[in-house]
Structures are given as structure tokens and as C-alpha cells.
Amino acid sequence: MPSSKGTNGGGEGGQEAKFNRVLTEEDRRRILRERAKLLAQKEDQRVVTLGESLYVFEYILAGETFSFDTKFVREVLSAKKVATVPCTPPFISGVLNVRGEIITVLDTKMLFGLQSQGITAQSKIIIVSNGTAQMGFLVDSVVGIAEIGHHELQPPLSTIPPQQARYIAGITKAPMILIDLDALMNDPGIVVDEEVE
């Protein structure tokens, strides 16, 4: 049986032996069970606390605040070097070479039915990845990282068209729109497979 070293203050041999003689085997087991329960409760509380909030990366589109879960954000780049690609849907701004990787850049305003002015001097590209795919999102400007509670998120308004609502994880009172990046990046309609004849 492991000794209860340090539980009696000094942990000296004589005191430890005296302490061990006072406790029966049943007492030791009861104490260990109680400690295990207490540790399990603390762990459960820590998990609940961590799950109550979400860190998001906020950005601006047509004067409205949008965001992604920060776990998807890889980096933010200038939009100056986006190359246009023929025969692509209107929501594709072009492609960007990022250290040898060719990344498709989406004009997110087009996806959400907002007025798009294309790439401007202030435009930024947020490079995101969900582990299996990555792409760039053209935005007007970036705000930064914020923390929101899961309880703050409300479902999309019924006035939002279904083809856009399917990309929205929730909306806060601020208002701030949280994008469901997994839903967006796994949408077959976003994949560009048109061939030039």
C-alpha cells in the first residue's frame, strides 16, 4: 500500500508510521475513494467551464460582423496577389499562391447575398483549414479574436434564405454571425470542377 507521505505535514518517518497505524485498511480505502470522487468532480467542472465559451475570429463583410471558430484560422494575408481563374463561379475570386500551395479564394459576400465590390486596397484573405481542405475567404477587414458564450448563440432568422442559413452556426445579439465552416467547406456546391474545353 503506498504511504500517505506529505499528508501529515512534515512526512518524517516516525510521524508517518504513527499516522499509518491509526488508520485502518478500510479507512484508507474510504479516503482514497473520496479523493477520487473529488478529483472527478473537479475534472467534470473544468470540462463544463471550457465548453461554455468559444473563441472566434471576427471580420467585416459589407458593414456586418461575421466570425469563424479560431481553430480553423491558419493565417491572414493581403489580397493583392489573387489571380483570377476563367470558367469559375462568381463566388470564386481566384487563387492565391501561399508558399507553393495554390489556395482557392472565395468572395464570401457573394455566398451570403451581400453587395460585392471585389478586391479593394483594404481587403484581406483569411486562410482557413478544417484538416482535410483549406481555402481563403475574401473579407473587407479583420477585427480580431473575441470570446462568446454558447448560450449567446441564437439560430439564424427565418428571413435568411435556406441556402445561406445552412452556413450559419448562430447569431449573437451584437449582432455577430458565426459561420459553420465545416458545413461550408464540405458543401459540394463550393467545389469547382468545371473544365475548359
Side-chain angles (χ1 to χ4, degrees):
M1 183 74 192
S3 69
S4 51
K5 192 172 184 178
T7 57
N8 193 26
E12 295 176 2
Q15 290 178 344
E16 188 176 314
K18 183 179 177 184
F19 182 73
N20 285 339
R21 279 196 300 272
V22 172
L23 290 176
T24 65
E25 189 65 27
E26 187 179 329
D27 288 335
R28 287 190 193 133
R29 287 181 181 163
R30 180 180 50 78
I31 290 169
L32 286 173
R33 280 195 301 271
E34 287 173 0
R35 285 182 183 167
K37 275 186 189 177
L38 186 61
L39 287 171
Q41 286 174 355
K42 286 182 178 177
E43 183 65 20
D44 288 344
Q45 288 170 358
R46 189 178 72 85
V47 170
V48 168
T49 302
L50 288 174
E52 285 174 355
S53 62
L54 177 70
Y55 287 95
V56 297
F57 189 88
E58 293 184 322
Y59 57 94
I60 304 296
L61 284 179
E64 296 186 42
T65 305
F66 288 76
S67 68
F68 302 132
D69 187 326
T70 54
K71 70 181 180 183
F72 295 106
V73 179
R74 202 178 94 179
E75 60 187 304
V76 178
L77 301 171
S78 166
K80 293 176 183 176
K81 296 184 179 179
V82 175
T84 56
V85 179
C87 302
T88 55
F91 61 82
I92 302 290
S93 291
V95 294
L96 185 66
N97 185 333
V98 181
R99 295 179 293 280
E101 285 182 279
I102 303 300
I103 295 177
T104 302
V105 178
L106 278 66
D107 187 339
T108 31
K109 286 183 189 173
M110 302 284 285
L111 289 175
F112 291 101
L114 302 171
Q115 186 68 35
S116 178
Q117 298 170 340
I119 297 172
T120 67
Q122 289 76 36
S123 297
K124 299 290 182 190
I125 296 173
I126 305 173
I127 307 295
V128 297
S129 172
N130 65 356
T132 56
Q134 57 188 358
M135 57 182 63
F137 288 86
L138 179 66
V139 302
D140 292 340
S141 61
V142 298
V143 178
I145 295 173
E147 183 180 7
I148 59 171
H150 283 289
H151 65 278
E152 296 178 58
L153 292 170
Q154 302 297 321
L157 301 172
S158 57
T159 54
I160 297 175
Q163 65 268 26
Q164 294 160 11
R166 63 185 170 176
Y167 301 137
I168 298 175
I171 300 175
T172 67
K173 288 181 181 178
M176 183 270 293
I177 300 168
L178 177 64
I179 302 304
D180 183 343
L181 266 182
D182 270 328
L184 198 157
M185 295 178 76
N186 291 319
D187 186 343
I190 297 297
V191 179
V192 179
D193 57 6
E194 185 175 347
E195 295 181 4
V196 180
E197 294 181 0

